[in-house]
Amino acid sequence: MAGEKLYEGKAKIIYTTDDPAVLLTYFKDDATAFNAQKRGQIADKGKINCAISTYLFQRLESAGIATHWLETVSDREMRVKALSIIPLEVVVRNVAAGSLCRQTGLPLGQVLLPPLVEFYYKNDDMGDPLLTPDRMRVMNVATDEQIATLRRQAEQINHILTKFFASCAITLVDFKLEFGLDHQQTIVLGDEISPDTCRLWDQATEDETQRVMDKDRFRQDLGQVEQAYQRVLERVMAQSPQH
Ligand code: ADP
Ligand code: MG
């Protein structure tokens, strides 16, 4: 089924299929942080992220969000709609953490109401810089109308995912989305939604280290990385209608 390798990224490999409108994404165990300056592996991460993404894409679809997910065909592979990816990382923040704290001095854990929606240029060589609407306009990276749609969709997705993770006793601190255009030029949610791309805090503890269930365990060498990813999967699956 898998055709030729189209692109190998930091976390996934993209293959062509016999249908030009469909791609196959293979989820790897490779982990990177700080713009790939730190590299490693997280055992079974590919399987866990494939399963979590599958579940969340299905949930978003049933809430009316257009996603690229078509079918999960193995424990590491999903068939997705081929998109022309918009080179933006759309970040939604409900709670201050990470680069927001470093760049603004806001304290870790400060609740952000309304949530922040931010756009970063998806460009590793430039270090994924934060963009402004004016910069996006002069860069021609997206039209004003597309940017408004991305913002609205990101807010809707945040609403759905925040409620869902709360039902798992997890706080959705922040997350990164990638969108693309399909053949009809419709904006569709792509890439993945996983502990690699979300900050997730366990509501069972307020301990600043213990609560971390996402890639910050790898970034900050907090240990128990695999176990944290596994625990997110278990909580997500416990909400699944199949269970
Ligand atoms: P990266 O190292 O660039 O983050 P990943 O390993 O996360 O790459 O993913 C591989 C690439 O696949 C990314 O560039 C991502 O934008 C792209 N991608 C995700 N979904 C789709 C899709 N539906 N169609 C085309 N490309 C996609
Ligand atoms: Mg990626």
Side-chain angles (χ1 to χ4, degrees):
M1 257 229 333
E4 63 189 89
K5 192 191 275 192
L6 201 60
Y7 178 76
E8 176 156 4
K10 298 185 291 291
K12 299 181 291 297
I13 308 173
I14 308 289
Y15 295 95
T16 60
T17 69
D18 43 24
D19 182 345
V22 175
L23 297 174
L24 189 84
T25 63
Y26 175 92
F27 286 72
K28 302 190 287 181
D29 288 345
D30 297 352
T32 63
F34 310 116
N35 199 16
Q37 289 171 59
K38 180 183 171 92
R39 290 172 183 273
Q41 295 241 319
I42 301 172
D44 283 342
K45 174 171 84 77
K47 292 183 192 176
I48 295 170
N49 285 0
C50 184
I52 294 172
S53 285
T54 296
Y55 180 76
L56 295 176
F57 280 135
Q58 285 178 299
R59 196 166 183 102
L60 290 171
E61 281 285 348
S62 47
I65 303 287
T67 82
H68 71 162
W69 183 84
L70 296 171
E71 187 187 5
T72 295
V73 290
S74 80
D75 55 8
R76 287 177 186 270
E77 295 168 303
M78 53 173 77
R79 279 159 43 83
V80 300
K81 283 177 204 152
L83 300 178
S84 165
I85 293 285
I86 300 168
L88 291 173
E89 301 203 334
V90 183
V91 172
V92 184
R93 299 179 182 274
N94 296 302
V95 176
S99 64
L100 180 67
C101 295
R102 288 198 298 276
Q103 293 173 1
T104 65
L106 284 171
L108 177 71
Q110 177 165 321
V111 174
L112 305 165
L113 258 180
L116 303 190
V117 179
E118 300 178 327
F119 297 89
Y120 294 81
Y121 188 35
K122 187 174 161 59
N123 185 313
D124 285 341
D125 294 341
M126 295 183 181
D128 298 337
L130 177 66
L131 298 180
T132 63
D134 284 342
R135 287 186 183 189
M136 289 190 272
R137 205 170 295 126
V138 292
M139 291 164 73
N140 266 318
V141 67
T143 65
D144 283 355
E145 195 194 337
Q146 286 172 335
I147 292 164
T149 304
L150 293 174
R151 174 180 284 279
R152 196 173 56 245
Q153 288 207 24
E155 286 167 349
Q156 284 173 2
I157 292 165
N158 184 43
H159 185 73
I160 297 160
L161 293 184
T162 301
K163 271 207 316 206
F164 170 69
F165 277 114
S167 77
C168 304
I170 293 172
T171 300
L172 179 58
V173 171
D174 58 36
F175 59 97
K176 182 268 297 181
L177 301 171
E178 291 180 31
F179 293 88
L181 300 172
D182 68 8
H183 290 305
Q184 286 88 47
Q185 299 297 108
T186 305
I187 289 182
V188 175
L189 178 65
D191 207 47
E192 65 177 274
I193 309 175
S194 71
D196 272 11
T197 63
C198 301
R199 281 198 175 86
L200 303 167
W201 288 356
D202 187 352
Q203 292 177 354
T205 173
E206 279 177 18
D207 183 275
E208 283 189 12
T209 300
Q210 270 187 307
R211 70 185 175 189
V212 176
M213 303 179 85
D214 56 69
K215 200 164 86 175
D216 274 347
R217 296 207 78 84
F218 170 78
R219 284 190 192 97
Q220 300 169 16
D221 293 316
L222 301 181
Q224 304 266 311
V225 187
E226 292 86 351
Q227 290 85 345
Y229 277 59
Q230 190 64 46
R231 225 173 304 133
V232 173
L233 176 62
E234 282 161 16
R235 296 225 197 145
V236 166
M237 293 320 287
Q239 301 299 312
S240 151
Q242 290 98 293
H243 282 68

